[in-house]
Amino acid sequence: MKTDREPIPRPDTETRERLLDFTPGMFRRLVEASGMAVSVHDKNLFPVWGNKAYARLWGYSIEEILDNRLDQKHILPAETLDLYWNVVLPTVRQGKRWEGEYVIRSKDGTLRSVKGWFDPVTDDSGEITHVISIKQDLSDLIRIREALGTAQKSLKFISESTSDIFFRLNLHTGLYDYLSPSVVRFSGYSVQEYQDNPLLLWHIVHPDWRDYLDEVMEELLEGRVRAEYVFQFIHKSGEVRWASQRHILLRDKHGHPVAVEGIATDITARKRAEERLRASEEKYRFLAENTADAIWTMDDDYRMIYATPSIKDISGYTPEEVQGRQIRELVAEDSISRLEEALARRKDAENEGNFTMVSSLELEHLHKNGQTFWAETVIKRLLDDSGRPIGFQGVSRDVTIRREAGAAVEASEARFRTLFEDSPISLWEEDLTRLKFYLDELKEQGVTDFRSYFYENPESLAKCASLVTVVDVNKATLPLLGAHSKEELLGNLDKVLTDSSMAAFTEEIIMLTEGGREYCGESTNRTLDGDTIWVMVHFYVPDEYQDTLSRVIVSLLDVTPRRRAEEALMDSEERYRVLAENSQEGVIVMQNGSVRYVNRSMRRITGYTADELEKLNFADMVHPDDRNENTPRLARMGMGKDKTPLGFFRIVTKNGGTKWINMNVKPIMWGGREALMFILTDITRYKALESELLIAHAQMENRVRKRTAELSKANVRLKAVAEERGQAQERIQALTQQLIRVQEDERQRIARDLHDNVAQDLSSIMLKMETLFDGHPGADPELTGRGRAVTEVLRHTIASVREIAYGLRPPALDQLGLVQALDNLCHEAGSRYGFDVDFFATGIENISLDFDVEINLYRMVQEAVRNICRHARATRAVIRLVKSHPDILIRIEDNGRGFLMRESLAKADAEKRMGLRSMEERARLIGGSMEIQTLTGTGTRILFKVPIESARRHG
């Protein structure tokens, strides 16, 4: 910032005293007593006097301020100095008052924000004699303002971010003096709606709680406040919710209640959790008291404390009769040893700190009637909230009938084993007893939604996997998982489970918790070699093991090849979906009359959501004026009977607007099956432009009509000249075409003469030279050497003649066709000049080309290849001959040194070389075009484009 100015003379002592004589003594005393900084300046704003407040503001003494040696640049920042020079001083010199805020620098270097007033004072003649300035220190005010702004932002952030409501309710008016913005999230109503409707609070309170609200209001008016207020209210959405409020009662100076301030919290989730807990407890109590299994608890001395009523159905004893009895008293003598062994194992485990051990026993018990029965019992430790053992809990089940049926089971087991081992499908036998006990334990803890529970507690899912015991696998499993023996797979499932297969395992567990017996799905498994395979999993629980899950059969079918094919297809579809989602055109995929996919642009164009489009018949969106023409076509498209573009028509969007669209339909594969993809392009803007252009065209027509009369005579003359020029151009083009045809005919005749006459004659001479000395073994060696030299010259001459003949008219063009002729040309050029030529043609074989088109296409490629060989210094060339409807395209590219187009054409014209001009002329004669792209050092790209219709042979 430039602040240097031409120096202005400072006032001398005489001038300063003269100026001060105009200040009355009373004014000086008043100013001195004022707390405001007041100063007097000359008309150039240099200070001539200041009061004590003025000196305190700057931190200098009055003498230092009035000293001419105190530089303005030192006490005024650059921005303020620039303000003085460019704004304040010009304003004051015009006799006007200036006021505003700016920054000064005090003696200790501190920057201070001040507000200043500058008032010019004039004499009787109107000339400015001096300027009075008043300054107010704003530094403290600005700091207070910033602190207040920060506090307001913090309060706003808290009130807008929290889900609780802060409020102040006037008890006399019933209106809210304040409501935090979070009231919208809380009740669905805005702050403004509460202010506009004073009775809104009474309306949203649930009808069952309105008497409670009236009671609360009476208590508040009487000055009584409860610790918490809990009630139900109706959200704007119609949902019934719970609220909790805490109040502070505000009183006036006489102690009368005037308002309450408080916080309201939405406790709906808490209330619902309490209701679910009560329901869970009632459900557990019902199951415990009505289940056929006996559920019981024991103390640390193995004495019965509690048993469910079902204990009588199993043992004949009532719950009261077994209470206090030792478990050994209830077990038959033959099973005592097994019980003692189990109790000893548990004691050893607990001595090591393991209190999570679950024991499963099958013992013979004593019935009250003196007989015995067999029971299966599962026992676990009970722990208090501190983790200290306080007894045991168990479940006993009568398995007498099951044991009596053991012989039959063993027989069927033998048959099962035979089928199991010899099955060509991988079969697994698993024991889920420990898993079932763990799941029952989770149910007792109140877990009902196992899907959510496992999602929130993945460690529990991992524990479930560890509780599954693989008992046996069949022979087909070994090669499937790369195992050498069954022992490698027995134990738990950690060896074969992957992250993906854990999802299928989760579904199996959820099925079991819901009482299911069978699951079928796909997942991955890990072989012992570390490879991942896809398998079809069939999980089945036999009827007799549904209660204990001690035996579960799992089959695995390898579907890895199919899954890999599906994944490749899904990857392809996903790439397509990404392209479609980012397209500006609307895309909708239909399959068998149903919508399979809708992109964002389709939703933007029509205004409908994806769900709405799936239920909506597209024909209903067509504008009423366009339905008669387009509805039948749309119906045929939906059934897959019409796959041609529909063209332009209008649609009515969801909001009632009208848009012009262009519709195309493409057959595609979706999910491995045929489908139709409808593509909509919004052309509304272009239609609007078209209307504007029509209006502009009409206006232009009026102006043209006025000019038509003036130009009609000139048009007649110009038309005649144009017709003459057109006829001349046609004659020139016809003559050029005829010359090229005659030239090709002459080349063909010369090529034929060279090949059939000259080359044959030379071949005859060569043969005679080769046999000239046959039968003369004594011929002079020098003569025979000369004969061989002449023969060699003739051989090269014959090759040159044939090469010239082939160059004039390649026989392959007539005998093998254009594609093979160009292939031979490229192969020979690459071999001769030592660079790679990649030639490829497609679609041309099905087109019968006119003779003139064939020879011109060949000559154009021939000239391009010749230029590459002579000038490009390329190591690689690529030539493509492609049918791309409606044109035939020839692309010729090289990686050579390139050239400057304009300079090369000018040089060729000057040297009368017609290579590029000839190629362009040939392309034009057959109705085509030529495009050249090249720069020095970047290679050259030539594109010939010839319409198929003009190139096709007719007749």
Side-chain angles (χ1 to χ4, degrees), residues 264-275:
T265 304
D266 189 333
I267 60 170
T268 306
R270 189 187 79 188
K271 282 290 187 178
R272 289 174 179 172
E274 292 174 355
E275 292 172 359

Side-chain angles (χ1 to χ4, degrees), residues 496-566:
V496 297
L497 288 183
T498 65
D499 292 340
S500 174
S501 55
M502 288 300 289
F505 181 69
T506 304
E507 295 300 324
E508 294 174 7
I509 297 177
I510 294 172
M511 178 269 297
L512 291 175
T513 61
E514 295 173 350
R517 297 173 45 205
E518 191 170 2
Y519 168 81
C520 187
E522 290 187 7
S523 69
T524 60
N525 277 130
R526 182 185 298 106
T527 68
L528 299 186
D529 298 329
D531 298 329
T532 300
I533 61 173
W534 276 95
V535 293
M536 174 72 74
V537 180
H538 184 258
F539 180 94
Y540 176 70
V541 182
D543 293 343
E544 59 271 26
Y545 300 103
Q546 188 173 2
D547 294 334
T548 62
L549 301 182
S550 60
R551 190 178 197 182
V552 174
I553 304 300
V554 180
S555 67
L556 303 181
L557 179 63
D558 189 2
V559 294
T560 303
R562 175 176 64 79
R563 286 293 302 194
R564 288 175 178 168
E566 291 175 353

Side-chain angles (χ1 to χ4, degrees), residues 289-310:
E289 294 179 354
N290 294 277
T291 182
D293 295 345
I295 303 173
W296 46 263
T297 58
M298 295 187 301
D299 60 16
D300 286 339
D301 294 328
Y302 303 107
R303 293 186 180 277
M304 301 292 289
I305 299 175
Y306 164 80
T308 58
S310 54

Side-chain angles (χ1 to χ4, degrees), residues 28 84 279 300 326 341 413 421 514 648 729 913 925:
R28 182 188 296 271
Y84 260 57
D300 286 339
Q326 232 271 355
E341 291 175 2
E413 178 74 16
E421 285 296 333
E514 295 173 350
F648 308 128
Q729 185 67 25
R913 291 187 282 106
L925 287 175

Side-chain angles (χ1 to χ4, degrees), residues 426-476:
S426 171
L427 296 178
W428 299 60
E429 183 182 353
E430 298 175 354
D431 183 356
L432 275 58
T433 305
R434 296 188 298 160
L435 173 61
K436 183 181 185 305
F437 192 86
Y438 179 64
L439 295 177
D440 291 342
E441 182 180 10
L442 292 178
K443 290 179 181 179
E444 293 171 6
Q445 295 174 3
V447 177
T448 56
D449 186 354
F450 278 86
R451 190 180 305 279
S452 300
Y453 178 78
F454 287 136
Y455 178 78
E456 297 170 358
N457 302 275
E459 68 281 357
S460 294
L461 184 61
K463 182 177 180 180
C464 289
S466 67
L467 295 177
V468 176
T469 302
V470 178
V471 178
D472 196 7
V473 296
N474 69 345
K475 292 183 289 187

Side-chain angles (χ1 to χ4, degrees), residues 22 40 43 92 95 119-123 126-132:
F22 287 89
V40 179
K43 63 181 180 180
V92 171
D119 285 304
V121 179
T122 59
D123 57 13
E127 182 179 355
I128 297 173
T129 59
H130 55 281
V131 178
I132 297 176

Side-chain angles (χ1 to χ4, degrees), residues 738-748 808 922:
Q738 186 65 27
L739 286 174
I740 291 177
R741 186 177 293 111
V742 170
Q743 183 186 48
E744 291 297 334
D745 292 342
E746 185 64 18
R747 285 182 172 182
Q748 185 178 16
L808 290 171
R922 284 181 181 273

